[in-house]
Each structure stands twice: as structure tokens, then as C-alpha cells.
Amino acid sequence: MADHALPRLLDELLTGSETGSCITATRFFPPRPARWAPFPPELDARIADALRQRGIRELYAHQARAWEVVRSGKNLVVVTPTASGKTLCYNLPALQALVETPDARVLYLYPTKALAQDQLAELQELARGLPDLRMFTYDGDTPQDARRAIRGRSSLVLTNPDMLHSGILPHHTQWVNLFQNLSYVVIDELHAYRGVFGSHVANLIRRLRRICRHYGSSPQFLMASATIANPEELARRLIGDHVEVVAETGSPAGEKLFICYNPPVVNPELGIRAPALTHASRLAVRFLKERVPTIVFAQSRLATEVLLASIKGEVQTKTGQSDIVRGYRGGYLPGRRREIEQ
């Protein structure tokens, strides 16, 4: 039903008397075919088999290029569109290092705990047919009785900058196995590290590199970012070293329509517009009534809850099914977040 409803809903938005005047820009992006590359000959056969079991028989061109950059010993930043397979650009060399060298260690940094949990599930699925690779998240949700085991036994640790700052670097003597053998540091969502927060993380990376030198290791940095104008500059300033950029995607894409919607002016004298949250809620409800899968982003926890209450109430009134709408934000208990993610 949603496939047939979406074109009609978009036409109504663009031409409707209430919404048409709020559309300030539209952009159409045509579909893009895939560009493929074979698995690298040095890729461990067990990793290749795991990929084939998941239906992946070739790599996208940018994934193959990222492999070449990493294997040549350079720091990497991948800047390709959403859903282009950036994750595999760093997962493949990370898993290869752990399979080739059992003593090797890898550290993954994510800006949020939810992203780390997502990646852990992805890694565990990919590594199911590999030798026992001990991969764990280490964050504020990690039980105290599990932390000692993780420090001593983990091959791959997924964490966030806050935990690296307060829970790992100050206690580096308890993380000797990690720092002595650290091969790669993966930094995903690179674009999040800007402004004051980015400055803090840049200092954190310098502390990390200093501790690694103390223990005799010199890890490569593998980074991934949403499309930004200056990925090389940002990555270089963040880690304090040269990087190689992979920006030309080989992934396919369906057609996309981008619509910029500006709420109407309600007070011309003062230039005040109608509340953005109200209009976001109305638009979401219109799509949800037609069973069009919809995601709404907000800039704060409060805005998320306001939107959630508004959308659920409207959907309940018009469809009788408020359970199809779920909120997701920081502040939820770990069990609730895992349940929503599932």
C-alpha cells in the first residue's frame, strides 16, 4: 500500500493549498548503478565465506579501494553516501587483522552507545564462522563484573569518547594487552566531532596515541563520515596525522526526492513562523496513515518526547494503532533501548 500511496502523498504536498507554498526547494536524484570489484586475493577465505553466506559475492569499488589504502599502511577516511557500505570498509581490515594475528587488538569509537550496539551485532553476525573473536562493548551500560574480563580478554572493544576519556585512558595499566597490540582505531560518524566537542576528542586522540607509543604500538586510524565538504581536513586535525580519502562511491542508489519544507509565517510583522514540531508531526501522521515507513529526527530529548506524544495521539485517533510509533533517545534504560532497536 505504501508504494502506491507515496507518489500521491508527495503530489499532495507539492500542490496542496496548505503545504505547496511551504515547499521552498526540491531536488531529484536519479538512480545510480553499482560498480563492483572482486574480493581481494589476500582476504582470509573464512571472511570471504562469511560474506558469501550473507549474500555478498563482490565488493563495491570504494570498499575495495579502502582495503588497498588500509593494507598499504595509511590512515583512511571514507566519505560515501548513507547505506553505501562504509561499515565494511573498516570491518574487513579489522577482522583480517584479528584472524591473521591473534594477539592483535582493535578499538572502535562511536559517538553514541546505540551505534556501538548496532555495530557489535553486525560484527558478531559477520564473524560467526571465524575463530573465537572476543568482541565487547565497554560503556556506561557494561556491568561492573564484566569489565575486568573485557579488559583482559577482548580482541575488539567498542566504546565512545566519554568512556575512553574517563574509563580507559586513565586506567591504561589495566589495558596493557589492548595498548601493546593495538592495530587499528576505528572512528565512525566522523562528522559528529566538530566544534568544541571535536576539539575535546582531538585532544583525547592525542592522549590515546601518546599512550600507544608508551606501550610500543602505532595504530592506523580508519574513519568514516557522512558526506561533508572537508573530510581530509577534519580527519587530519582530529587525529593529527595524514589521511587518505576515499570519496567516490561504487554503491547503487534508487531515485530520491529531497523536499525542503518551511512552516508558514503566522506573524508577518515579527517574521514568526508556525512551530516546526507541529508541522513535522502533521507530516509524519499523513505518511503513517498510509503505512509509509517514516522517521522523524529532533534536536533534543524534550523535542523527541513532544513529537512522540503528538504523533502517537494522532495515529491512535486516526488508525487505532499507536503501537506502530516508537520513540528513541538518550536517557532510556539499556533494556528498553535494546527492545526498541530490535
Side-chain angles (χ1 to χ4, degrees), residues 246-267:
V246 174
E248 188 174 344
T249 184
S251 65
E255 64 180 33
K256 297 184 182 69
L257 180 64
F258 175 86
I259 298 175
C260 187
Y261 181 98
N262 207 8
V265 175
V266 294
N267 188 324

Side-chain angles (χ1 to χ4, degrees), residues 95-326:
L95 291 175
Q96 179 79 9
L98 297 178
V99 170
E100 282 182 341
T101 311
D103 288 338
R105 297 292 184 267
V106 179
L107 179 68
Y108 278 45
L109 278 182
Y110 289 91
T112 66
K113 291 184 283 189
L115 287 169
Q117 289 290 342
D118 282 348
Q119 186 53 235
L120 177 61
E122 172 77 13
L123 279 165
Q124 288 173 337
E125 181 68 24
L126 188 57
R128 185 172 294 176
L130 301 180
D132 182 30
L133 300 180
R134 300 175 298 278
M135 302 180 290
F136 304 96
T137 56
Y138 193 85
D139 54 37
D141 295 340
T142 305
Q144 289 293 333
D145 57 353
R147 296 189 179 190
R148 178 178 297 179
I150 293 172
R151 289 194 293 266
R153 298 182 59 247
S154 57
S155 305
L156 189 152
V157 177
L158 303 96
T159 189
N160 54 70
D162 289 334
M163 199 65 178
L164 182 63
H165 166 66
S166 62
I168 297 179
L169 295 185
H171 310 289
H172 57 85
T173 54
Q174 300 174 14
W175 291 87
V176 174
N177 286 338
L178 175 72
F179 291 118
Q180 280 184 339
N181 302 286
L182 193 57
S183 298
Y184 298 126
V185 176
V186 172
I187 305 177
D188 203 358
E189 304 293 321
L190 181 74
H191 54 279
Y193 302 114
R194 56 191 177 86
V196 174
F197 178 48
S199 299
H200 288 322
V201 174
N203 283 321
L204 189 64
I205 297 301
R206 281 150 181 76
R207 286 171 55 203
L208 169 64
R209 296 185 70 179
R210 187 169 66 247
I211 288 173
C212 287
R213 286 195 299 271
H214 173 74
Y215 286 101
S217 64
S218 180
Q220 285 174 251
F221 286 81
L222 316 183
M223 295 162 281
S225 171
T227 304
I228 55 176
N230 60 336
E232 183 178 10
E233 178 191 7
L234 177 61
R236 179 168 40 80
R237 295 180 69 180
L238 189 72
I239 70 169
D241 204 350
H242 296 291
V243 297
E244 185 86 10
V245 178
V246 174
E248 188 174 344
T249 184
S251 65
E255 64 180 33
K256 297 184 182 69
L257 180 64
F258 175 86
I259 298 175
C260 187
Y261 181 98
N262 207 8
V265 175
V266 294
N267 188 324
E269 290 79 14
L270 298 177
I272 297 175
R273 293 185 176 272
L277 293 184
T278 301
H279 278 254
S281 175
R282 291 175 185 171
L283 291 171
V285 170
R286 289 179 68 169
F287 286 113
L288 290 170
K289 278 176 59 183
E290 303 289 348
R291 298 289 181 175
V292 176
T294 303
I295 185 166
V296 183
F297 289 97
Q299 290 186 317
S300 68
R301 297 179 180 185
L302 176 60
T304 301
E305 290 301 316
V306 169
L307 278 168
L308 177 62
S310 175
I311 294 172
K312 286 190 75 166
E314 285 292 315
V315 170
Q316 174 68 43
T317 299
K318 295 180 179 180
T319 69
Q321 290 184 297
S322 63
D323 60 334
I324 65 172
V325 182
R326 300 296 297 268

